[in-house]
């Protein structure tokens, strides 16, 4: 029963291992942000001299420096950016008739979607961890701000960090996959994705603390899935005791988003896959347009 | 509609009905609001029996691919019913998909994968894996003359190699029924002959049932046990190639006599098997069911009557003539708008690769 889904994952894996280009392109903007924006925009430098570091630290969710605060935000941004590419494969498969061939076999429609979600969702974690590694490395470069984490990170902290990153990846992979199933052409797909990218990033606390925002923005930022994930990740890396309970609340909220996006994607995918796609795949797109 | 259905020897050998299409219709929704939808298939009924090679012959845009898509569960018919081995395609599509193999009109192999990987992944989609499956895949690749390129990426394949790979992929799960949408498109003459041999041998050794579409009259004639001629979404004739050709009144014998000879028409009309005689200058065109045997008889008869015969030819009817007779336009002219009745079939031809 799992073999058909595994075959699809194997196909995606083989394709990816031969041309892992999108990992590079997905990494581009987060890395640029880290070495340019993160270095230049050091909020800590705006404080008058003599202010104790704890003041800054408490405004930055316990991060020892602005860059450390910002770097964790970029981890989340990296996986969201990488997830933006997850829907493209579906569109090409549709246009090339490969999806039709898959649909003519007895594999269940749900497996087609879920195998994509599992593979793409996992892949999306790679850039996230590469960004962590890169930010940690920067700390060892003279005159460059880097990510420094608090001592005493426990296994639970590390696990929380990974789970938050994974749930965030799955949520956005599902969202963008559903756009891939719904879109007929790569242009319209990237149209939607580019429109969404900046608002999603800017309405989160990935780049600056919620406390400096106007109240109306704070509400939006509070429920943004990126904020939820970033909160958990910051607590795990810089956390002090007492944060744990809040972390679970954030994780739960993030999980709710993930469920919502997965359900939406399942709906759109099964709608798109139901009538299989006739000659040229035209009816496939029509099924979505109606 | 010419009624040639189920004549000849078919009732003598009662065979299992593998594909049963009843009044299938497909109307594509309009692409722009306010325009009318396209009637691609307009009430098509036919049956395909176990172990036969059944051909769907028709020009571009006739509705061949659409019919295949409905039979293979990729499209839901607007109306009508179809069963595969007794299973309804609309009610139980999942079970139907297990029963059949399908080769699409356009290449669907994954270019970034090797031929062998494409085959093994397809097998996996049917829940098949293991050494037996790999061995079978290798065997199929060898039969399709792809053994030496099996481990190259498909994007390095030539058009004909891709076509042959599609066939191998379609057979990897050993289906007993296979749909082939223009399987020999783009194959060289050698490749086509090889493919015909291969399909016949599968039919003979494994009892494979084949449903194929084709543009090629000679392919329909030589490869298929029975043919359905389809035009503008309607089946206009079904039968064996010979039945279809016989429907034209059989062979044509042309007898040319020396100028000034007496008229042989009464004599010819009296001969058995002759249905009509028409005169074109000094040539008498005789429609008959038994062209060859009429040659000696007519020449002898005419000579005895003092008629000087200077030439005689026999032509067998071709499917092209059948087509001309059934549709009022020759098969080869299809798509060239030269009259009110033609042109409408050609304008619907989907652009290759258009999505
Ligand atoms: N997805 C689609 N949406 C709308 N109309 C379609 C679609 N696919 C096919 N048609 C129309 O349906 C008719 C039949 O098309 P179909 O592809 O079944 O023909 P065909 O016999 O396979 O032709 P060919 O020999 O060119 O492959 C054509 O008029 C075509 O324009
Ligand atoms: Mg076709």
């Amino acid at each position: 029963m799992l073999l058909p889904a595994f075959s699809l994952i194997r196909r995606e894996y083989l394709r990816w291992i031969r041309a892992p280009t999108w990992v590079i392109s997905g990494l581009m903007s987060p890395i640029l942000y880290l070495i340019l924006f993160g270095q230049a925009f050091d909020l800590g430098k705006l404080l008058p001299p003599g202010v104790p570091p704890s003041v800054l630290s408490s405004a930055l969710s316990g991060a020892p420096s602005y860059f450390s605060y910002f770097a964790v935000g970029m981890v989340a941004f990296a996986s969201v950016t990488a997830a933006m590419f997850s829907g493209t494969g579906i569109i090409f498969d549709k246009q090339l008739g490969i999806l039709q061939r898959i649909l003519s076999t007895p594999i269940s429609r749900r497996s087609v979607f879920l195998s994509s979600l599992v593979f793409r969702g996992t892949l999306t974690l790679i850039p996230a961890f590469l960004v962590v590694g890169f930010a940690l490395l920067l700390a060892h470069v003279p005159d460059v701000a880097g990510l420094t984490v608090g001592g005493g990170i426990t296994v639970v902290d590390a696990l929380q960090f990974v789970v938050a990153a994974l749930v965030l990846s799955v949520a956005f992979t599902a969202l963008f996959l559903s756009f891939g199933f719904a879109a007929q052409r790569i242009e319209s797909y990237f149209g939607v994705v580019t429109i969404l990218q900046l608002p999603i990033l800017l309405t989160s606390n990935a780049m600056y603390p919620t406390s400096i925002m106007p109240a109306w923005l704070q509400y939006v930022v509070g429920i943004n899935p990126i904020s939820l994930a970033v909160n958990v990740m910051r607590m795990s890396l810089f956390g002090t005791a007492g944060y744990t309970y809040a972390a679970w609340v954030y994780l739960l909220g993030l999980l709710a988003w993930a469920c919502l996006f997965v359900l939406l994607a399942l709906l759109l995918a099964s709608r798109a896959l139901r009538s299989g796609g006739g000659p040229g795949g035209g009816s496939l797109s029509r099924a979505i347009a109606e | 509609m010419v009624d040639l259905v189920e004549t000849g020897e078919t009732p003598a050998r009662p065979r299992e009905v593998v594909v049963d299409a009843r009044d299938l219709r497909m109307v594509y929704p309009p692409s722009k609001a306010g325009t009318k939808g396209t009637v691609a298939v307009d009430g098509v009924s036919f049956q395909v029996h176990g172990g036969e090679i059944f051909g769907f012959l028709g020009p571009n845009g006739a509705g061949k691919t659409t019919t295949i898509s409905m039979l293979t569960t990729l499209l839901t018919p607007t109306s009508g019913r179809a069963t595969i081995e007794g299973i309804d395609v609309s009610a139980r599509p999942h079970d139907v998909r297990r029963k059949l193999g399908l080769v699409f009109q356009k290449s669907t192999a994954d270019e970034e994968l090797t031929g062998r990987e494409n085959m093994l992944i397809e097998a996996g989609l049917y829940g098949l894996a293991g050494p037996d499956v790999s061995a079978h895949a290798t065997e199929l690749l060898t039969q399709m003359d792809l053994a030496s390129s099996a481990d190259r990426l498909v994007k390095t394949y030539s058009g004909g190699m891709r076509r042959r790979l599609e066939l191998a992929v379609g057979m990897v799960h050993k289906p007993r029924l296979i749909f082939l949408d223009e399987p020999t498109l783009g194959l060289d003459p050698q490749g086509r002959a090889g493919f015909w041999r291969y399909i016949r041998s599968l039919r003979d050794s494994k009892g494979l049932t084949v449903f194929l579409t084709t543009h090629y009259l000679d392919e329909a004639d030589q490869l298929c046990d029975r043919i359905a001629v389809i035009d503008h979404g309607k089946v206009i004739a079904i039968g064996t190639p010979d039945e279809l050709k016989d429907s034209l009144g059989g062979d044509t014998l042309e007898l040319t006599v020396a100028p000034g000879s007496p008229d042989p028409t009464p004599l010819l009309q009296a001969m058995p098997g002759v249905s009509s005689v028409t005169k074109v200058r000094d040539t008498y065109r005789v429609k008959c069911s038994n062209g060859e045997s009429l040659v000696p008889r007519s020449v002898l008869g005419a000579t005895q009557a003092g008629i000087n015969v200077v030439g005689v030819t026999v032509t067998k009817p071709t499917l092209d003539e059948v087509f001309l007779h059934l549709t009022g336009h020759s098969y080869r002219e299809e798509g060239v708008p030269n009259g009110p009745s033609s042109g409408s079939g050609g304008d619907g031809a989907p652009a290759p690769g258009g999505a």
Side-chain angles (χ1 to χ4, degrees):
Chain A
M1 213 216 89
L2 281 177
L3 186 61
F6 176 75
S7 293
L8 285 188
I9 291 180
R10 186 176 143 72
R11 165 175 173 253
E12 295 221 43
Y13 169 76
L14 287 171
R15 287 178 63 97
W16 177 74
I17 201 79
R18 281 168 198 161
T21 46
W22 65 267
V23 166
I24 316 293
S25 47
L27 270 175
M28 264 302 279
S29 29
I31 297 273
L32 276 181
Y33 272 99
L34 279 182
I35 55 183
L36 299 175
F37 190 96
Q39 304 295 331
F41 194 70
D42 191 342
L43 286 178
K45 297 216 175 92
L46 297 177
L47 292 177
V51 175
S54 61
V55 173
L56 177 70
S57 175
S58 70
L60 295 176
S61 314
S65 66
Y66 173 73
F67 186 86
S68 297
Y69 176 89
F70 175 77
V72 177
M74 285 304 107
V75 172
F77 182 52
S79 61
V80 173
T81 311
M84 290 186 340
F85 293 87
S86 27
T88 55
I90 297 289
I91 298 176
F92 287 124
D93 284 354
K94 243 190 272 192
Q95 289 179 344
L96 295 175
I98 296 177
L99 187 60
Q100 274 192 72
R101 181 164 59 83
I102 293 171
L103 293 179
S104 76
T105 70
I107 187 173
S108 80
R109 275 51 191 149
R110 202 168 301 152
S111 301
V112 175
F113 167 72
L114 288 178
S115 59
S116 274
L117 181 63
V118 167
F119 180 74
R120 296 282 167 179
T122 315
L123 270 195
T124 302
L125 280 179
I126 297 176
F129 287 115
L130 286 179
V131 166
V132 175
F134 185 72
L136 283 171
L137 269 182
L138 284 181
H140 300 284
V141 181
D143 291 334
V144 171
L147 171 64
T148 42
V149 299
I153 292 182
T154 63
V155 178
V156 178
D157 289 334
L159 223 66
Q160 262 182 1
F161 184 91
V162 174
V163 169
L166 183 68
V167 178
L168 183 73
S169 292
V170 168
F172 278 99
T173 304
L175 181 71
F176 290 121
L177 265 182
S178 71
F179 294 165
F181 277 103
Q184 307 169 30
R185 286 177 308 137
I186 202 86
E187 294 89 336
S188 43
Y189 174 82
F190 274 116
V192 174
V193 167
T194 349
I195 288 173
L196 284 181
Q197 182 185 19
L198 269 185
I200 290 180
L201 177 67
L202 294 180
T203 59
S204 77
N205 61 6
M207 311 222 287
Y208 26 72
T210 323
S211 51
I212 62 174
M213 299 175 187
W216 62 267
L217 189 54
Q218 289 192 12
Y219 289 116
V220 184
V221 171
I223 56 163
N224 182 319
I226 296 185
S227 309
L228 296 172
V230 165
N231 284 342
V232 177
M233 294 197 239
R234 286 189 181 130
M235 286 174 184
S236 336
L237 292 191
F238 317 123
T240 45
Y243 271 127
T244 334
Y245 173 70
W248 286 111
V249 176
Y250 290 134
L251 259 185
L252 229 62
L254 183 60
L255 216 57
W257 275 113
C259 289
L260 186 76
F261 287 162
V262 170
L263 281 179
L264 171 79
L266 261 176
L267 196 83
L268 279 176
S270 58
R271 248 183 98 118
L273 298 181
R274 198 184 315 135
S275 79
S283 65
L284 196 69
S285 18
R286 218 171 305 275
I288 304 149
E290 70 186 18
Chain B
M1 171 97 191
V2 177
D3 189 15
L4 296 163
V5 188
E6 305 301 338
T7 55
E9 67 263 294
T10 319
R13 285 179 285 156
R15 284 150 115 197
E16 160 203 19
V17 174
V18 174
V19 180
D20 190 2
R22 299 267 161 109
D23 206 20
L24 281 182
R25 262 174 70 81
M26 181 68 213
V27 184
Y28 284 107
S31 47
K32 274 179 266 160
T35 55
K36 273 206 272 171
T38 312
V39 182
V41 173
D42 195 4
V44 156
S45 303
F46 59 87
Q47 294 185 329
V48 180
H49 305 280
E52 86 175 332
I53 302 177
F54 186 88
F56 233 43
L57 173 72
N60 284 142
K64 303 183 294 295
T65 300
T66 306
T67 306
I68 286 202
S69 299
M70 289 191 283
L71 294 175
T72 56
T73 76
L74 290 173
L75 268 183
T76 312
T78 310
S79 65
R81 222 176 91 93
T83 59
I84 302 287
E85 293 186 19
I87 307 170
D88 191 296
V89 293
S90 307
R92 288 163 61 198
H94 197 261
D95 296 323
V96 167
R97 287 180 203 122
R98 292 190 179 285
K99 298 280 180 195
L100 51 90
L102 172 58
V103 172
F104 287 92
Q105 180 169 355
K106 65 179 192 183
S107 181
T108 56
D110 193 323
E111 305 241 317
E112 308 292 330
L113 266 49
T114 67
R116 191 189 307 279
E117 284 164 354
N118 266 291
M119 291 201 68
L120 294 180
I121 284 168
E122 177 81 359
L125 294 178
Y126 284 89
L128 303 171
D132 290 355
V133 176
S134 309
H136 182 233
T138 307
E139 190 190 319
L140 280 170
L141 285 164
T142 311
Q143 274 163 347
M144 285 297 152
D145 216 2
L146 289 171
S148 57
S149 23
D151 296 308
R152 264 167 48 192
L153 295 187
V154 173
K155 64 179 168 198
T156 69
Y157 281 22
S158 78
M161 289 164 77
R162 280 167 207 242
R163 212 61 211 136
R164 297 201 302 271
L165 176 65
E166 294 291 315
L167 292 167
V169 169
M171 296 292 299
V172 75
H173 59 291
K174 303 187 184 168
R176 292 190 50 237
L177 164 66
I178 189 160
F179 289 86
L180 306 170
D181 200 353
E182 287 170 40
T184 59
L185 196 75
L187 289 190
D188 57 20
Q190 224 174 330
R192 284 178 74 202
F195 166 76
W196 292 359
R197 261 200 312 279
Y198 176 69
I199 288 295
R200 281 199 202 102
S201 76
L202 278 180
R203 189 260 316 262
D204 295 340
S205 63
K206 306 234 167 66
L208 182 75
T209 308
V210 182
F211 180 107
L212 63 86
T213 72
T214 183
H215 286 146
Y216 300 116
L217 296 161
D218 59 334
E219 183 160 282
D221 199 355
Q222 293 177 45
L223 179 60
C224 299
D225 298 319
R226 283 197 309 139
I227 304 171
V229 180
I230 178 169
D231 194 24
H232 300 318
K234 288 196 160 79
V235 169
I236 50 182
I238 301 185
T240 65
D242 286 340
E243 281 167 5
L244 291 181
K245 288 183 281 191
D246 286 347
S247 73
L248 288 186
D251 306 345
T252 307
L253 178 134
E254 287 186 335
L255 195 76
T256 310
V257 298
S261 301
D263 187 350
T265 304
L267 185 117
L268 290 169
Q269 259 164 351
M271 292 191 172
V274 171
S275 48
S276 72
V277 180
T278 45
K279 180 176 190 276
V280 186
R281 273 192 233 117
D282 293 326
T283 299
Y284 294 84
R285 183 180 274 225
V286 183
K287 283 270 175 207
C288 57
S289 56
N290 50 343
E292 285 94 346
S293 65
L294 202 64
V295 172
R297 252 188 286 155
S298 58
V299 173
L300 201 66
T303 312
Q304 279 167 355
I307 300 163
N308 189 8
V309 176
V310 295
V312 59
T313 58
V314 175
T315 44
K316 296 275 169 194
T318 62
L319 280 178
D320 195 13
E321 288 171 75
V322 174
F323 205 84
L324 175 67
H325 176 72
L326 292 172
T327 64
H329 56 92
S330 172
Y331 190 85
R332 297 292 174 210
E333 299 164 0
E334 180 59 34
V336 183
N338 59 350
S341 69
S342 61
S344 50
D347 65 4

